[in-house]
Amino acid sequence: MSHRIVLASSKGGSGKTTTALNLSVALAERGHNTIVVDLDPQGAIGLFLAKEDSDWGGLAEVMIAGTPPSEVLQSTSLPTLRILPRGRIDPVDTCEYELQLHRGEVLSRTLDEIEEGVDYVVLDTPSGLGPVTRAALAVSRFALLPLQAEPVAFRTMSQILRVIDHVQQNENPSLRLLGILPTMVRLDSDPSLNVMSAVWSGFGGVLDTVVPRADVFTETSEIGIPLSFLGGRTRPEARRFTLLSDEIEARINRMTGVEDDNEHRRLV
Amino acid sequence: MTTNTVGSSDVDIARALSRRLSGLEPGSEPRIAVESPYLRFDPSRPEATPAGELTDEPLNDFTRWDEFLAWGLNKVRSSAAFVIDPQGFVIGSSGNVPEDGFEGTGAELSYVMSQADSMNPEMGGLRFIALGFANRRLSGFRAGVAGGEGFVVAFVDAEGFNKTTRQQIARQLEHSFSVLL
């Protein structure tokens, strides 16, 4: 059975898409069959990868034309990673897309159809607490919350946590907070450090891995590739997502009661 | 480091929620007693009628009540659903079912619907009822009402009710009823 992980945040620009994409790549590079699903009406994953807005069919074709989901899954150069794009949505139909995604069962049906043999499904959502985020939370087991390490983003944390609590209580009892991922962390900046101090000292589920603020993220989005695909020397930030995938895998194993098979070794 | 400027009651709530939802912190309390600081929209408010094609949604050929309930739960964004047979017994339930089940609620709902039948015989048998309580909302659809008896499908705290979804549930119930008997 695949593990569905929703990236959610009430504040925009917190690193949801960057995390969704690079985490999916890291999981796939570890050998896990992974699908990243672009639920953002703006098609954030496609835009990140420098695709034209109408290049890829996707969820919209499934919803509007009844296209089988398997026909719109995009392969990548990683055999273990595929992308379910947003599809060719007319921007003026964004409201209808969001409402239909929330009201209907199209999302759960679509995921059911593509999950055979898949280890992880990573769902990238739009910013905010609207219908798409709610729909994704309603059909998923795990919520991963990128927290931009700055005061305004920090103050919005209660909003998304409140929604997760509500969905867990009323719609999806299996939903769990997988973790809070600090992003854009700058420990040389007082406001960022203050946020991190508050998070580390009192919040539950904070991941050990943090994603620092770095120019390399802008560089990769300009080229349209994930971090680990950058040429030249390996960037330390790419290593962060390998660590993140390890931590998430271990945490999911712990939350689902799976034994960790990394036993101690003997040197002599 | 300068003075911490990020403390607020919202942060206190977030901190407590994160501890409970993560379930990873040793010694974390299972439930926080925080009174919600938010206003809530009335979920029974009239909603805009969705696009017409939704009313033409193809009917499903369910063969089991649990399939019907799973479909209905998703359709109306409900926390739980159950089926009551003509004798008032719950014969199936799905979703967030309380520990003591829906037996009592189901029997009373069935009784309430049968009482409503006698309100005015010219109106025919009751097909649908929506009840708003202080802490819960309960909606019931009935099929096979000839003679005043029938199976009732009930939804708890449905969020996605509007005219169209109500029609879809009713149509689907009528379509599936004879098979699911």
Side-chain angles (χ1 to χ4, degrees), chain A residues 9 15 49 55 59 72 77 109 166 186 195-196 247 256 264:
Chain A
S9 165
L49 295 173
D55 272 354
L59 195 53
V72 290
S77 61
R109 199 168 56 222
H166 176 83
R186 279 190 59 194
V195 167
M196 291 310 301
E247 189 177 5
T256 55
H264 297 306

Side-chain angles (χ1 to χ4, degrees), chain A residues 102 165 169-170 194 202 204, chain B residues 1 15 18-20 77 79:
Chain A
H102 183 230
D165 187 44
Q169 295 296 319
N170 296 282
N194 284 339
Chain B
M1 186 168 65
R15 188 178 293 122
S18 70
R19 285 176 176 167
R20 185 170 63 76
R77 318 297 306 176
S79 64

Side-chain angles (χ1 to χ4, degrees), chain A residues 72-88:
Chain A
V72 290
L73 271 180
Q74 300 294 322
S75 300
T76 71
S77 61
L78 286 173
T80 46
L81 178 66
R82 289 174 293 168
I83 300 169
L84 179 59
R86 173 209 57 182
R88 301 182 183 92

Side-chain angles (χ1 to χ4, degrees), chain A residues 52-78:
Chain A
E52 295 287 335
D53 203 34
S54 58
D55 272 354
W56 277 342
L59 195 53
E61 279 69 14
V62 175
M63 294 169 70
I64 297 168
T67 306
S70 58
E71 290 185 12
V72 290
L73 271 180
Q74 300 294 322
S75 300
T76 71
S77 61
L78 286 173

Side-chain angles (χ1 to χ4, degrees), chain A residues 102-105 108 134 138 151 154-155 158 161-162 164-166 168-171 177 180 190 194-195 197-198 202-205 251 254-255, chain B residues 1-6 10-11 14-15 17-22 24-25 31 36 38 40 47-48 50 71 74-75 77-79 96 159 162:
Chain A
H102 183 230
R103 281 187 189 137
E105 56 192 0
S108 61
R134 287 288 292 270
F154 183 60
R155 292 184 185 119
S158 65
L161 288 164
R162 158 87 174 127
I164 291 172
D165 187 44
H166 176 83
Q168 186 194 65
Q169 295 296 319
N170 296 282
E171 299 174 35
L177 174 61
I180 296 171
D190 279 346
N194 284 339
V195 167
S197 298
F203 277 64
R251 189 167 282 199
R254 186 151 44 117
M255 294 170 99
Chain B
M1 186 168 65
T2 58
T3 306
N4 192 326
T5 58
V6 293
D10 285 350
V11 172
R15 188 178 293 122
L17 282 170
S18 70
R19 285 176 176 167
R20 185 170 63 76
L21 289 168
S22 64
L24 294 170
E25 300 288 309
R31 187 86 191 142
S36 172
Y38 304 110
R40 295 293 312 276
E47 295 184 33
W71 170 84
N74 206 305
K75 174 69 66 184
R77 318 297 306 176
S78 176
S79 64
N96 192 10
E159 288 194 355
N162 55 40

Side-chain angles (χ1 to χ4, degrees), chain B residues 1-173:
Chain B
M1 186 168 65
T2 58
T3 306
N4 192 326
T5 58
V6 293
S8 75
S9 62
D10 285 350
V11 172
D12 291 339
I13 293 171
R15 188 178 293 122
L17 282 170
S18 70
R19 285 176 176 167
R20 185 170 63 76
L21 289 168
S22 64
L24 294 170
E25 300 288 309
S28 62
E29 293 299 319
R31 187 86 191 142
I32 51 166
V34 178
E35 186 174 348
S36 172
Y38 304 110
L39 298 174
R40 295 293 312 276
F41 280 103
D42 178 1
S44 62
R45 69 193 184 283
E47 295 184 33
T49 303
E53 63 264 25
L54 285 178
T55 58
D56 301 326
E57 182 181 76
L59 292 163
N60 300 288
D61 292 317
F62 298 123
T63 56
R64 300 198 315 266
W65 277 114
D66 58 352
E67 293 174 344
F68 185 100
L69 293 179
W71 170 84
L73 276 175
N74 206 305
K75 174 69 66 184
V76 302
R77 318 297 306 176
S78 176
S79 64
F82 54 96
V83 187
I84 314 160
D85 71 11
Q87 284 75 44
F89 293 105
V90 174
I91 59 170
S93 58
S94 184
N96 192 10
V97 180
E99 284 184 11
D100 55 353
F102 288 113
E103 289 294 343
T105 307
E108 292 295 340
L109 178 62
S110 187
Y111 177 72
V112 165
M113 293 186 81
S114 65
Q115 287 294 299
D117 282 332
S118 59
M119 192 180 293
N120 184 342
E122 289 184 7
M123 291 195 290
L126 184 69
R127 299 293 183 124
F128 170 74
I129 192 168
L131 301 167
F133 300 93
N135 300 322
R136 281 280 181 277
R137 284 168 288 113
L138 192 61
S139 313
F141 293 83
R142 190 161 57 170
V145 290
E149 290 187 339
F151 284 73
V152 175
V153 175
F155 296 96
V156 180
D157 287 343
E159 288 194 355
F161 262 137
N162 55 40
K163 185 178 177 183
T164 304
T165 51
R166 209 169 64 223
Q167 287 173 345
Q168 287 171 343
I169 297 281
R171 279 179 68 228
Q172 182 65 57
L173 183 57

Side-chain angles (χ1 to χ4, degrees), chain A:
Chain A
M1 191 182 76
S2 65
H3 300 300
R4 296 177 186 172
I5 304 171
V6 182
L7 274 293
S9 165
S10 55
K11 185 179 176 302
S14 62
K16 285 186 296 298
T17 302
T18 302
T19 304
L21 186 62
N22 286 293
L23 171 63
S24 297
V25 168
L27 288 166
E29 287 180 330
R30 302 280 290 176
H32 298 299
N33 280 316
T34 304
I35 294 175
V36 57
V37 180
D38 190 355
L39 295 178
D40 188 341
Q42 294 180 33
I45 293 285
L47 294 177
F48 193 102
L49 295 173
K51 303 300 292 184
E52 295 287 335
D53 203 34
S54 58
D55 272 354
W56 277 342
L59 195 53
E61 279 69 14
V62 175
M63 294 169 70
I64 297 168
T67 306
S70 58
E71 290 185 12
V72 290
L73 271 180
Q74 300 294 322
S75 300
T76 71
S77 61
L78 286 173
T80 46
L81 178 66
R82 289 174 293 168
I83 300 169
L84 179 59
R86 173 209 57 182
R88 301 182 183 92
I89 297 175
D90 188 326
V92 301
D93 286 340
T94 295
C95 289
E96 192 58 30
Y97 161 80
E98 292 185 339
L99 290 173
Q100 288 203 23
L101 206 59
H102 183 230
R103 281 187 189 137
E105 56 192 0
V106 65
L107 183 56
S108 61
R109 199 168 56 222
T110 300
L111 296 180
D112 287 345
E113 286 185 40
I114 61 176
E115 280 182 325
E116 188 175 347
V118 173
D119 301 307
Y120 293 96
V121 175
V122 179
L123 300 126
D124 186 32
T125 64
S127 302
L129 310 171
V132 177
T133 301
R134 287 288 292 270
L137 291 170
V139 300
S140 297
R141 178 78 188 274
F142 300 107
L144 177 60
L145 312 183
L147 166 63
Q148 185 182 352
E150 57 87 28
V152 174
F154 183 60
R155 292 184 185 119
T156 67
M157 279 301 286
S158 65
Q159 297 174 358
I160 183 65
L161 288 164
R162 158 87 174 127
V163 168
I164 291 172
D165 187 44
H166 176 83
V167 172
Q168 186 194 65
Q169 295 296 319
N170 296 282
E171 299 174 35
N172 179 7
S174 68
L175 180 64
R176 294 289 178 273
L177 174 61
L178 179 58
I180 296 171
L181 173 68
T183 61
M184 303 184 208
V185 177
R186 279 190 59 194
L187 295 183
D188 60 343
S189 149
D190 279 346
S192 187
L193 179 59
N194 284 339
V195 167
M196 291 310 301
S197 298
V199 168
W200 279 326
S201 65
F203 277 64
V206 182
L207 292 158
D208 293 336
T209 310
V210 300
V211 179
R213 180 179 284 281
D215 290 339
V216 71
F217 291 106
T218 313
E219 192 182 332
T220 56
S221 64
E222 182 183 25
I223 305 169
I225 56 174
L227 258 177
S228 66
F229 279 61
L230 265 180
R233 64 180 175 83
T234 302
R235 311 300 172 103
E237 291 79 7
R239 180 69 187 148
R240 297 270 177 179
F241 286 99
T242 306
L243 294 172
L244 177 63
S245 68
D246 286 348
E247 189 177 5
I248 281 178
E249 186 180 359
R251 189 167 282 199
I252 286 178
N253 285 344
R254 186 151 44 117
M255 294 170 99
T256 55
V258 175
E259 292 288 327
D260 192 342
D261 57 5
N262 288 324
E263 295 179 356
H264 297 306
R265 296 180 297 159
R266 290 194 179 279
L267 178 61
V268 293

